[in-house]
Amino acid sequence: MTTAPRSALITGASAGIGATFARHLAARGYQLLLVARRADRMRELAAQLTEQHKVRCEVFAADLTDPASPAVILRHADEQGLHIDVLINNAGLSGKTAFADTPWDTLAGEIQLMVTAQTELAHHVIPGMKERRWGRIVNLSSVAAFAPPAASLLYTGIKSYVLNTSQALDMELKPHGIHVTALCPGFTHTEFHDVMGTRDKANHLPGILWQQPEAVVAAGWKAVQNGKPVCVPGLVNKISAAAMKPLPIRLAYLAGKTLNPFKNS
């Protein structure tokens, strides 16, 4: 009896870490549902992956700053007969102006994209994963999640939410065969800074701080497969995270697991 290939949903899949995850998983035989705003970029990537790896690769254009998008994406997956075994919550952005000077619609979109949509997608795919007793979720956080709050930016707080929520979900879901990992990269060579308009500032940073997306993805996928709830890829980032956080990552996780209010319910 032939086992159906597993399927992965990847957001922010048109470039950078998202596109690199698509290549990484396609090479391992996963069916893919690629989601981003730029359909042309995704169609080009999907054609390459289908030709190279002979895997099914669907494309769905959506803007996750729209509150309706998560439900629409998951309905499309159902219509295509794709049961989501892997969720890569990668889509993200960062504000460029002070909080008080930024229109509320822009701030609301940032929260919708990186908090609400990410959480909603996870909530909807988890029941199927539990039923199949297998699932992998990678939530893109950042080494910034370990840093003190930054003036005017929501980014640090949002990425801290992603870090903490991922660990909480991993504690809850691991008995059901589901691993959840917060992937916390530092500066990565992608189009992110070009899109955000921060390329000039980024170019002045020392080269030692930067990683290639392939290294970030390889570390993140290995971590989620091995059941590690937090992945900080790269030695420099590990040192930075350890220096900024009062408790070692593993000890903080174990402390939170011990204090779980639902463990005896």
Side-chain angles (χ1 to χ4, degrees), residues 16-265:
I17 291 174
T20 304
F21 259 116
R23 297 186 185 97
H24 193 86
L25 293 178
R28 285 151 181 77
Y30 284 83
Q31 300 182 125
L32 302 178
L33 174 55
L34 308 181
V35 175
R37 292 177 298 176
R38 295 180 289 183
D40 54 339
R41 295 282 295 272
M42 290 191 295
R43 281 194 289 265
E44 181 179 345
L45 175 61
Q48 293 172 0
L49 297 179
T50 299
E51 181 179 355
Q52 292 173 4
H53 303 293
K54 312 303 179 188
V55 295
R56 180 182 178 187
C57 193
E58 299 288 338
V59 168
F60 191 78
D63 183 353
L64 282 165
T65 64
D66 179 353
S69 287
V72 173
I73 292 165
L74 293 169
R75 185 162 60 247
H76 177 76
D78 287 341
E79 291 170 352
Q80 298 300 312
L82 294 172
H83 304 295
I84 305 304
D85 302 293
V86 175
L87 172 62
I88 310 292
N89 269 320
N90 168 72
L93 55 83
S94 177
K96 296 177 287 185
T97 56
F99 179 88
D101 298 331
T102 306
W104 171 246
D105 288 350
T106 301
L107 296 173
E110 193 174 342
I111 295 168
Q112 175 64 37
L113 174 66
M114 294 188 289
V115 175
T116 307
Q118 183 174 122
T119 308
E120 183 176 354
L121 287 171
H123 187 264
H124 286 302
V125 302
I126 284 169
M129 292 178 176
K130 289 177 72 173
E131 183 178 338
R132 294 185 294 275
R133 301 290 301 177
W134 196 94
R136 302 289 183 265
I137 299 174
V138 177
N139 293 324
L140 259 291
S141 181
S142 168
V143 73
F146 300 94
S152 298
L153 293 180
L154 292 179
Y155 190 80
T156 304
I158 287 172
K159 292 305 185 180
S160 295
Y161 167 85
V162 174
L163 172 63
N164 292 336
T165 303
S166 298
Q167 293 177 89
L169 288 177
D170 186 71
M171 293 175 195
E172 176 183 340
L173 299 172
K174 192 158 280 171
H176 302 279
I178 303 168
H179 300 172
V180 184
T181 295
L183 176 56
C184 305
F187 294 105
T188 307
H189 287 294
T190 69
E191 297 177 7
F192 181 84
H193 293 284
D194 299 303
V195 174
M196 292 298 102
T198 56
R199 175 55 61 191
D200 289 343
K201 292 182 180 179
N203 285 342
H204 287 88
L205 295 170
I208 195 173
L209 297 178
W210 292 87
Q211 283 188 287
Q212 295 297 331
E214 291 78 10
V216 171
V217 166
W221 185 247
K222 182 179 180 180
V224 75
Q225 287 287 74
N226 290 340
K228 295 184 178 180
V230 180
C231 174
V232 181
L235 179 60
V236 172
N237 293 326
K238 284 181 171 64
I239 293 171
S240 298
M244 291 184 288
K245 209 68 174 173
L247 282 176
I249 294 169
R250 180 62 179 165
L251 183 57
Y253 178 85
L254 291 174
K257 191 173 183 180
T258 301
L259 296 172
N260 177 10
F262 301 106
K263 64 182 178 180
N264 295 320
S265 61

